[in-house]
Amino acid sequence: MKKDTQCVQVGFTPDNGDPRVLPLYQSTTYYYETPEQLAHLFDVPKDGHIYSRISNPTVSALEEKITALEGGVGAMACSSGVSAETLATLTLCTSGDNFLSCAEVYGGTFNLFNITLRKLGIECRFFAPDASEEEISNLIDDKTKFIFAETLANPAMTVVDFDKLSAVCKKFGIVFMVDNTLATPCLVRPFEYGVNIVIHSSTKYLDGHAQAVGGIIVDGGNFNYDQNPRYKDFYTPDESYHGTVYVKEGGAAAYILKARMQYMRDIGAIMSPFNAYVTNLGMETLHLRMKRHSENGLAVAKALSAHKMAEWVKYAGLSTDSNYNTAKKYFNGGFSGMVTFGVKGGKSNAVQFIKNLKLFKQVTHIADVRSCVLHPASTTHRQLSDKELIACGISDNLVRLSCGIEDTEDVVADVINALDKLKA
């Protein structure tokens, strides 16, 4: 199936007389006729559902859909985007290990990596998005487990150079992990460019309606953990789970099996069945929405570029953008609905611009059908120091616009009218 059809069809196929639409399985438990049947599932959990802290039929349908769209071998839906990042990291790292991340990432991710995981003994080493392969390689040692980046950095809007980071990962035999939230598989499929693990905050474009918080980890099935000394936990018996050897039991999907049977089992940060049900409904129109989001994003970016009160504009779809050539290499079908720009006059004018908007609403959110706006330096990235803000590509006059799917003329007019009211 093409991805447009996958959005609608994949995840649930009814049998004769079944509901046509994916049902909501709002149940914590599952019945089996014999003790032997249930015992088998504790040895081979991929053969069925045991308990909804680990898996659920509605959640599994959503996982199947995103797996197909990304072109992976398995997925695990989590309670939020940051829980997905946490479990994805713990599946690879233990105390004493480290990983690398591009410095230009979402503020919550930066704090998770820089503060919280460090308290658990897992070190994150940050690098600049324009760092060379040599500079990145110099950060790697025998305890480095993966490299992390965002396809489209929030809110710096930098496009990741997949080829560069993939080359480094292959050189050292380490995992390449990417957050694909702002691009979605409708615009970019990271596994095609050497990525091994994909993360989504499904709260954003996948859900699309700002009604269900969630996160998803997708396994590309394209990394060989077996006998790689960095990943001994994958090919040695897990005594906490009947001596399971994940590369043997999971095959190409060893990573996602380990993630579920170690960390989802013990931490329980699974997406609720209802949120999976809502997110699946949203994903049925993902291919249509991403086209309109991208159209509106480009229209707003062009209008801002021509306005005297815009000091600078960041949007990968602009031919004048420093990331344009990189984006053209990897994106297909649009460049998302996210635009950032600097308001002339500094923070005070940035704040006044937000107050002048009518259609765009100020919320701590992005990437749903409704246009929204935020000042990251004083909200989502407020906990960062001035030095860390600079490293994340955030200035005090940066405004983040998430262009919804409303009429393009209305969206552009609201932005321009708000700017026109500012004083230079």
Side-chain angles (χ1 to χ4, degrees), residues 22-26 30 49 56-63 272-278 280:
L22 172 68
L24 169 59
Y25 291 93
Q26 192 67 38
Y30 307 92
H49 302 285
N56 168 278
T58 305
V59 178
S60 293
L62 173 66
E63 293 167 345
S272 73
F274 181 77
N275 280 18
Y277 175 79
V278 172
N280 181 72

Side-chain angles (χ1 to χ4, degrees), residues 70-71 146-148 160-171 173-178 188-198 218-225 330:
E70 287 287 12
F146 67 92
I147 295 179
F148 178 91
V160 66
D161 187 339
F162 288 107
D163 290 346
K164 178 178 70 175
L165 297 185
S166 176
V168 174
C169 287
K170 289 176 180 176
K171 176 183 176 181
I174 60 178
V175 169
F176 186 11
M177 186 186 300
V178 164
V188 180
R189 297 200 346 151
F191 294 144
E192 296 176 358
Y193 305 111
V195 173
N196 307 119
I197 305 296
V198 165
V218 190
D219 185 354
N222 55 354
F223 188 89
N224 184 14
Y225 298 91
Y330 303 122

Side-chain angles (χ1 to χ4, degrees), residues 10-43:
V10 170
F12 176 72
T13 302
D15 290 328
N16 189 48
D18 279 354
R20 178 63 187 92
V21 177
L22 172 68
L24 169 59
Y25 291 93
Q26 192 67 38
S27 179
T28 62
T29 52
Y30 307 92
Y31 165 72
Y32 294 95
E33 292 180 353
T34 69
E36 291 82 4
Q37 289 174 324
L38 188 57
H40 168 75
L41 291 180
F42 276 86
D43 288 331

Side-chain angles (χ1 to χ4, degrees), residues 28-208:
T28 62
T29 52
Y30 307 92
Y31 165 72
Y32 294 95
E33 292 180 353
T34 69
E36 291 82 4
Q37 289 174 324
L38 188 57
H40 168 75
L41 291 180
F42 276 86
D43 288 331
V44 190
K46 61 185 180 180
D47 287 354
H49 302 285
I50 299 171
Y51 190 61
S52 283
R53 188 183 76 240
I54 301 171
S55 66
N56 168 278
T58 305
V59 178
S60 293
L62 173 66
E63 293 167 345
E64 184 178 340
K65 179 167 289 186
I66 191 63
T67 297
L69 283 168
E70 287 287 12
V73 296
M76 186 171 77
C78 306
S79 57
S80 67
V82 287
S83 71
E85 291 175 334
T86 302
L87 298 190
T89 300
L90 295 177
T91 301
L92 296 172
C93 298
T94 58
S95 180
D97 290 333
N98 66 77
F99 66 97
L100 276 54
S101 174
C102 179
E104 291 188 350
V105 291
Y106 164 63
T109 300
F110 189 94
N111 200 71
L112 170 67
F113 288 176
N114 192 45
I115 304 297
T116 304
L117 290 177
R118 198 179 299 276
K119 292 178 180 178
L120 301 179
I122 300 171
E123 178 191 3
C124 179
R125 300 171 179 175
F126 293 99
F127 60 87
D130 59 354
S132 67
E133 289 186 26
E134 181 180 5
E135 290 171 322
I136 296 170
S137 297
N138 288 338
L139 297 173
I140 296 173
D141 59 28
D142 61 357
K143 290 290 188 178
T144 304
K145 295 299 182 71
F146 67 92
I147 295 179
F148 178 91
E150 295 176 352
T151 300
L152 196 58
N154 171 24
M157 305 308 296
T158 305
V159 178
V160 66
D161 187 339
F162 288 107
D163 290 346
K164 178 178 70 175
L165 297 185
S166 176
V168 174
C169 287
K170 289 176 180 176
K171 176 183 176 181
F172 288 91
I174 60 178
V175 169
F176 186 11
M177 186 186 300
V178 164
D179 184 316
N180 200 35
T181 297
L182 293 188
T184 81
C186 288
L187 303 183
V188 180
R189 297 200 346 151
F191 294 144
E192 296 176 358
Y193 305 111
V195 173
N196 307 119
I197 305 296
V198 165
I199 306 289
H200 284 276
S201 172
S202 61
T203 318
K204 313 305 190 299
Y205 284 128
L206 297 188
D207 167 59

Side-chain angles (χ1 to χ4, degrees), residues 81-402:
V82 287
S83 71
E85 291 175 334
T86 302
L87 298 190
T89 300
L90 295 177
T91 301
L92 296 172
C93 298
T94 58
S95 180
D97 290 333
N98 66 77
F99 66 97
L100 276 54
S101 174
C102 179
E104 291 188 350
V105 291
Y106 164 63
T109 300
F110 189 94
N111 200 71
L112 170 67
F113 288 176
N114 192 45
I115 304 297
T116 304
L117 290 177
R118 198 179 299 276
K119 292 178 180 178
L120 301 179
I122 300 171
E123 178 191 3
C124 179
R125 300 171 179 175
F126 293 99
F127 60 87
D130 59 354
S132 67
E133 289 186 26
E134 181 180 5
E135 290 171 322
I136 296 170
S137 297
N138 288 338
L139 297 173
I140 296 173
D141 59 28
D142 61 357
K143 290 290 188 178
T144 304
K145 295 299 182 71
F146 67 92
I147 295 179
F148 178 91
E150 295 176 352
T151 300
L152 196 58
N154 171 24
M157 305 308 296
T158 305
V159 178
V160 66
D161 187 339
F162 288 107
D163 290 346
K164 178 178 70 175
L165 297 185
S166 176
V168 174
C169 287
K170 289 176 180 176
K171 176 183 176 181
F172 288 91
I174 60 178
V175 169
F176 186 11
M177 186 186 300
V178 164
D179 184 316
N180 200 35
T181 297
L182 293 188
T184 81
C186 288
L187 303 183
V188 180
R189 297 200 346 151
F191 294 144
E192 296 176 358
Y193 305 111
V195 173
N196 307 119
I197 305 296
V198 165
I199 306 289
H200 284 276
S201 172
S202 61
T203 318
K204 313 305 190 299
Y205 284 128
L206 297 188
D207 167 59
H209 299 97
Q211 294 184 23
V213 172
I216 300 178
I217 307 169
V218 190
D219 185 354
N222 55 354
F223 188 89
N224 184 14
Y225 298 91
D226 197 14
Q227 304 308 309
N228 185 326
R230 293 181 188 271
Y231 307 102
K232 290 182 180 179
D233 287 351
F234 283 81
Y235 58 86
T236 55
D238 177 6
E239 298 307 328
S240 77
Y241 207 83
H242 320 300
T244 296
V245 177
Y246 292 106
V247 295
K248 180 180 179 180
E249 190 65 48
Y255 174 89
I256 208 68
L257 180 63
K258 184 176 186 290
R260 189 179 301 279
M261 298 324 301
Q262 281 189 336
Y263 294 100
M264 187 60 79
R265 176 198 66 188
D266 289 349
I267 296 176
I270 196 169
M271 183 183 291
S272 73
F274 181 77
N275 280 18
Y277 175 79
V278 172
T279 302
N280 181 72
L281 287 177
M283 286 182 66
E284 291 177 350
T285 60
L286 179 65
H287 57 298
L288 300 174
R289 290 186 284 108
M290 291 312 296
K291 292 175 183 177
R292 175 54 72 89
H293 283 299
S294 297
E295 290 169 1
N296 284 351
L298 181 58
V300 166
K302 287 181 175 179
L304 285 170
S305 297
H307 201 284
K308 64 180 182 179
M309 292 304 295
E311 191 172 288
W312 51 265
V313 181
K314 286 293 297 178
Y315 184 74
L318 288 175
S319 59
T320 55
D321 191 273
S322 59
N323 286 270
Y324 179 72
N325 290 332
T326 304
K328 289 283 286 184
K329 187 177 181 180
Y330 303 122
F331 281 66
N332 181 30
F335 300 93
S336 189
M338 297 295 302
V339 183
T340 59
F341 76 106
V343 183
K344 284 185 179 178
K347 181 180 178 180
S348 60
N349 261 3
V351 170
Q352 187 57 51
F353 165 77
I354 292 174
K355 292 179 179 178
N356 292 344
L357 291 165
K358 301 299 182 184
L359 187 148
F360 281 78
K361 302 300 183 186
Q362 181 182 226
V363 296
T364 309
H365 198 245
I366 51 172
D368 66 69
V369 295
R370 304 161 195 85
S371 292
C372 54
V373 62
L374 205 66
H375 181 249
S378 62
T379 55
T380 55
H381 293 67
R382 188 183 185 89
Q383 74 275 23
L384 274 59
S385 66
D386 290 343
K387 183 179 180 181
E388 290 170 338
L389 285 171
I390 292 171
C392 287
I394 301 170
S395 59
D396 66 356
N397 70 336
L398 184 152
V399 170
R400 184 183 70 185
L401 296 171
S402 175

